[in-house]
Amino acid sequence: MPELPEVETTTQGLRKTILRLTVKDVWTSYDSPYFHGSDSIKDPTYFKYFKKTIKNQKIKSVNRRAKNILINLSNKYTILVHMKMTGHLMYGDYNKKDPYNRHIRLIFYLSNGKTLELCDTRKFAKVTLLPTETMHETIHLKNIGPEPLEKEFTFNIFKKQINKKPNGKIKTILMDQNIIAGIGNIYSDEILWESSVHPERKVSTLKEKEMKIMFKTLKEILKKGINFGGDSMSDYRDINGERGKFQIYHEAYRRAGEKCRKRNCKGIIKRKIVNGRSAHFCDTHQT
């Protein structure tokens, strides 16, 4: 699933390409009985409303909140796109040779003759429409925790947030979107590996020094993910349909059975299910 760095990479790409363009039309192949009666474009009735509302509207700005892309329109409505497990947005003449770019479920036709397309292999992505002024009060956004790369996200805020669940396992807590926004399986593994903290450690057992190291590492690794254009170990591609490069620098995620690369560590990377999610960690230096 695209996490903060992948969603931020996409958001930055959209800011460079679609601002001030007008949505001339929109098409989708989504139609799921499970979503009928909901505020999802997977409901054909809702999609008609969605289409009518966004047609001929100018794209004013693009923002990110956690793993959500927010495309703000001139009529004071916002298109929310959550790429979920296998989704990614692509613009214009993207790389069509990549098989992961061929499952197009949604197309926005733009005023410059180009398109913005949502590729979603497993059809899990969420697209809906929100009033811009009140969107952060809706069920889609209101309970999300603080953004970890904002200046306001200090060590004291980090400490306060994770201590909301002192008996929780730190791997699970880092991925809890109500605690901290945007972190998922990949980056939690990498943060904990670098911080030398075992994924099953309870928050209450963490020492102040360990939390400070984790706080610093969290910011560094998320920034690194953005700098390398996100992680394309699986489906994710940027708006040009190209792979990110963060997967080249994995130290823990999906390296089970390999030697730990921590200096002077002789451990092996293990994989274990922690509260229903896979965790990759070193069996020696992560304690």
Side-chain angles (χ1 to χ4, degrees), residues 174-187:
L174 287 177
M175 295 194 298
D176 188 333
Q177 298 303 292
N178 296 329
I179 301 296
I180 302 172
I183 299 172
N185 233 18
I186 298 171
Y187 293 94

Side-chain angles (χ1 to χ4, degrees), residues 24 39 83 89 101 120 131 145 181 200 218-219 226 280 282:
K24 303 303 291 184
D39 60 343
M83 299 187 286
L89 286 165
N101 293 339
D120 183 15
E200 293 185 299
L218 180 153
K219 286 183 176 281
I226 295 170
H280 302 82
C282 173

Side-chain angles (χ1 to χ4, degrees), residues 248-261:
I248 298 171
Y249 303 95
H250 287 177
E251 298 292 357
Y253 185 70
R254 291 197 180 178
R255 292 193 64 244
E258 299 182 32
K259 293 181 180 179
C260 178
R261 294 197 289 237

Side-chain angles (χ1 to χ4, degrees), residues 192 195-199 201 205-206 210 282-287:
L192 292 172
S195 304
S196 299
V197 174
H198 194 282
R201 281 276 298 277
T205 70
L206 294 171
E210 290 176 308
C282 173
D283 63 1
T284 301
H285 84 266
Q286 287 181 252
T287 59

